[in-house]
Amino acid sequence: LTVTTPSGSGDILFPFLGEGQALDLLAAWAAVDKVLEAPLTLAEVSLALRQLSPLSGRARVTKLADGTVLIDDSYNANPTSMRASIESASQLAKKESRRLVLVLGEMKELGAEAEKEHAALAEVVRHADAAVVLGCGGLIEHSLKGVAGARILGSAEEAKAEALEQVRAGDVVLVKGSRSVGTEIVAEALVFKAETSAKKAGEPS
């Protein structure tokens, strides 16, 4: 189920992005049906979704002023959510015939399983068919092994600089990592760049 607002700068493209969020929606829908003791119609659910504003950093999908589709999922990351976000971003890019850019930060707090879980993610990244893959923070390098053209950066700041160079207008860009990695600065920088470019384009020559 996808509900889309009119196109334009900063529009939220509602998802539910991918299977995980679709299941969340269905669970919430079922709960409301139970409480109301009457089924909601699709029209009622669609209207409610149009009034919903996804939280920043929580798989928020925004169409930027230059046409870039930014998936800001920078609030946190674990193996399950990382796989789901990458797969969903890949599906969206293919459906829209857009380039895919992945900016991935390390998954923290995995204990003794950390290296193994990062390594297991490599297959998911490879199958995403991304045009650009940037990793930042510690063990994320294990997730990028064997990924053609992937680049490992030392910090979110370095990833931000590289993303600003690599992202093209119209790309689908996923930004995701554990909170302490700070990948939200990448998402913020891309939004600022798009807005600045749009303002300059609108200025009289």
Side-chain angles (χ1 to χ4, degrees), residues 75-151:
Y75 186 80
N76 216 336
N78 59 55
T80 300
S81 69
M82 188 73 92
R83 279 191 286 272
S85 291
I86 293 170
E87 289 170 353
S88 296
S90 178
Q91 291 166 8
L92 179 59
K94 289 172 182 176
K95 179 183 177 182
E96 299 287 327
S97 298
R98 296 170 181 258
R99 285 200 334 156
L100 174 63
V101 177
L102 301 177
V103 183
L104 307 175
E106 183 180 9
M107 299 178 288
K108 299 286 192 179
E109 301 175 358
L110 297 180
E113 299 296 306
E115 186 171 327
K116 184 180 78 172
E117 290 289 358
H118 280 86
L121 192 64
E123 184 177 1
V124 178
V125 178
R126 286 195 294 270
H127 284 129
D129 294 325
V132 178
V133 182
L134 307 178
C136 59
L139 295 175
I140 197 66
E141 63 180 309
H142 296 288
S143 305
L144 274 55
K145 286 183 178 177
V147 178
R151 293 202 58 188

Side-chain angles (χ1 to χ4, degrees), residues 8-11 62-70 163-165 167-171 173 185-203:
S9 175
D11 286 343
T62 310
K63 186 175 182 182
L64 304 185
D66 62 358
T68 299
V69 176
L70 173 64
L164 290 173
E165 289 290 327
V167 172
R168 301 176 187 171
D171 286 350
V173 184
I185 67 171
V186 180
E188 292 164 359
L190 292 173
V191 172
F192 181 77
K193 177 185 176 182
E195 291 177 347
T196 302
S197 297
K199 287 179 182 178
K200 287 182 179 179
E203 292 175 356

Side-chain angles (χ1 to χ4, degrees), residues 74-77 106-109 156 177-184:
S74 60
Y75 186 80
N76 216 336
E106 183 180 9
M107 299 178 288
K108 299 286 192 179
E109 301 175 358
S178 282
R179 186 68 174 153
S180 60
V181 178
T183 53
E184 69 273 7

